[in-house]
Amino acid sequence: MIAAAAIERSPLVNPAPSPIAVIAAMREEIEPLVRRLAGRVSVGSDLVAGRLAGRELVLSVCGEGSARAASGIERLFVRCSPSRIVGIGIAGGLTPTLSPGSIVVATRVATTTGVLDAPADDWRRIAVTVSGGVEAAIATSDVILTTREAKTRLARRLAEHNPLVVDLESAAWARAAQAHRVPWLILRAVSDTMNEDLPFDFDRLRDATGSVDRRRVLWHAVARPTTIPALWRLRARVRLAAARLADLIEEIVAAVPDEEAQR
């Protein structure tokens, strides 16, 4: 097991193998994976280290939105030297062919200002094989798309890249990984489809850091009881997506050859 001191190490003085880092925006997205770690140890409030399928892993909650995602992953690089970044989490559908729970494996991350191509390696091939998901572009947005009209508009703006899902963090993760010359893989599970509206405008319920304020969500639900069933369905989908993503990470890590795991 990775000792806590090894996470806070300088990579120049500690010869231990670099861990695989799995990151998510929200604790709910990564908690099922945390529970699977053998000999896990918490390092601060946002890092957990342990072993999965014989591999050294570090799990990190980097925060919601592009700003928190960027600062969170940079903290991760300061505190340890991961051999690879694997981003996981939920996303909104940008095509009517995707149903809740569908898995998308990123070939690239598209924004309105550019595209970041994912490294082509065995990890992505294994991810597609074990997940039964599709390889495609993931779109990253600065705002939470809460209506079918908003999703359709973004899909049209990025039509040349053919994105299948939209999220808030993948571009920040990919940029940081590329800057540090670390391979990256991103897996997203659909929480809301292209033809669905979210229960209410979550973008208006974000706090100053960019995170959705759970207390405000609860207050809005209580004030609008008709939204509660849809909110509960979304919550259930997030839980199922997180469990499915934990399954995939375990299968992928177990399937990667020893020599590839540390690349």
Side-chain angles (χ1 to χ4, degrees):
M1 187 205 73
I2 302 175
I7 301 302
E8 301 289 358
R9 77 200 192 301
S10 164
L12 298 178
V13 300
N14 192 306
S18 296
I20 299 162
V22 182
I23 59 178
M26 301 184 294
R27 190 165 300 278
E28 299 96 318
E29 295 170 316
I30 208 168
E31 189 59 36
L33 189 59
V34 171
R35 293 195 293 267
R36 299 184 187 204
L37 289 186
R40 66 179 179 268
V41 58
S42 296
V43 187
S45 61
D46 59 346
L47 287 183
V48 179
R51 292 182 67 82
L52 183 72
R55 313 289 191 197
E56 306 282 6
L57 262 66
V58 173
L59 310 184
S60 178
V61 178
C62 289
E64 300 169 58
S66 59
R68 290 193 69 194
S71 60
I73 194 171
E74 286 301 331
R75 285 196 306 272
L76 174 66
F77 275 109
V78 168
R79 299 170 73 182
C80 68
S81 298
S83 60
R84 178 174 298 266
I85 295 292
V86 183
I88 63 173
I90 59 171
L94 289 183
T95 175
T97 60
L98 293 179
S99 58
S102 296
I103 301 295
V104 172
V105 182
T107 55
R108 67 191 70 87
V109 177
T111 72
T112 54
T113 58
V115 175
L116 299 99
D117 290 318
D121 63 8
D122 285 348
W123 284 69
R124 201 169 77 205
R125 176 183 55 79
I126 291 169
V128 173
T129 300
V130 302
S131 69
V134 295
E135 290 185 283
I138 292 176
T140 292
S141 171
D142 292 328
V143 299
I144 300 173
L145 304 185
T146 59
T147 66
R148 66 191 78 180
E149 290 81 7
K151 297 173 195 176
T152 299
R153 284 196 298 271
L154 182 62
R156 287 173 178 166
R157 288 178 69 188
L158 298 176
E160 65 180 294
H161 305 301
N162 193 30
L164 290 186
V165 294
V166 58
D167 64 31
L168 301 175
E169 300 86 17
S170 288
W173 296 342
R175 287 193 190 100
Q178 289 188 356
H180 288 271
R181 298 185 179 181
V182 172
W184 55 274
L185 174 71
I186 295 175
L187 309 173
R188 290 289 185 176
V190 174
S191 56
D192 51 290
T193 69
M194 184 178 189
N195 294 320
E196 288 181 305
D197 294 334
L198 293 177
F200 31 72
D201 189 351
F202 287 101
D203 207 56
R204 298 181 63 183
L205 304 180
R206 298 166 79 180
D207 60 25
T209 70
S211 298
V212 174
D213 188 326
R214 271 57 170 177
R215 290 171 299 180
R216 294 181 67 188
V217 169
L218 179 60
W219 185 88
H220 271 67
V222 170
R224 299 163 180 80
T226 57
T227 66
I228 292 177
L231 187 62
W232 234 243
R233 285 194 298 273
L234 182 61
R235 181 171 178 262
R237 288 180 184 179
V238 171
R239 288 185 169 184
L240 287 172
R244 176 60 176 141
L245 289 166
D247 288 340
L248 292 180
I249 293 298
E250 186 165 8
E251 293 178 61
I252 292 166
V253 169
V256 171
D258 288 341
E259 63 273 14
E260 180 68 21
Q262 292 304 320
R263 293 182 187 174

